[in-house]
Amino acid sequence: MTSEPSLFSAPGRRSGVSVWKQIADTLRTEIRDRAFTATGRLPSENELAARFGVNRHTLRQAVAALQVDGLVRIEPGRGMFVQHELLDYALSRRTRFSENLRRQGLLPSNQLLTAREILAPERAAHELKLDKSAKVLMVEMLDEANGEPIGLATAYYPALRFAGLLDMLHSDTHTTEILRHFGVQDYVRAESRITTQMPSSETARLLKQLSTRPLLCVECLDEDMQGQPIKYGETVFCGDRVQLVVSAGDLA
């Protein structure tokens, strides 16, 4: 019969509490303190077993408890990774990025990646009801929650209606305030389409996620209160950090 390793006599051991539970508690605290943020990967099973002075069976009991709690995931052949707490992103008639995050006590921020005038792509021209020869303002943003990337948003605005919008974006003015400058006092989401897709290597790099993990993709159209399209866009969200929420009232 194999004797239990040295953690039983360790000074930090809590009497009457199973060793695997103590290991799970320690790792749970470290995950919530963001000890593994740099890579998102936990040490290997052998490394953790050696660290805590236990056999692999005991270590696996601790890891199983963390999986039940939704704190880690196992990727065969790759190891153990922190499972990010999911952020609820509400899709509604009044979808607003900043409001979505602030309601959950999170700090919203954006990084402007691209802002330029281009010939309208076919899909954007169709959704915005523009001629094929029309131009649009393309804006690409990296959306963040508490400084961590959660989504990559690409938006297209009619260039004729919003001439000067790109310059205002560089001044760190919020999009809603910019639209008011152009006479759009309010706007609503006319449509959202949800699909999934695999990230390109560049998208995976920007979102700091594995290229083998799928993204949630939301294709959207926003209209002013007169029903005129003002923005067509697509946002890809990290599938293991964001869950999309649609309330019953918005399905009518």
Side-chain angles (χ1 to χ4, degrees), residues 178-197:
I178 293 174
L179 292 176
R180 288 197 186 106
H181 172 82
F182 290 98
V184 181
Q185 298 304 316
D186 199 3
Y187 61 96
V188 293
R189 177 65 54 87
E191 189 173 55
S192 293
R193 301 187 192 95
I194 305 169
T195 57
T196 59
Q197 64 183 54

Side-chain angles (χ1 to χ4, degrees), residues 20-21 24 28 60-72:
W20 69 264
K21 289 183 178 178
R28 189 178 289 111
R60 285 172 181 167
Q61 286 181 287
V63 171
L66 297 177
Q67 284 182 284
V68 170
D69 288 346
L71 293 176
V72 301

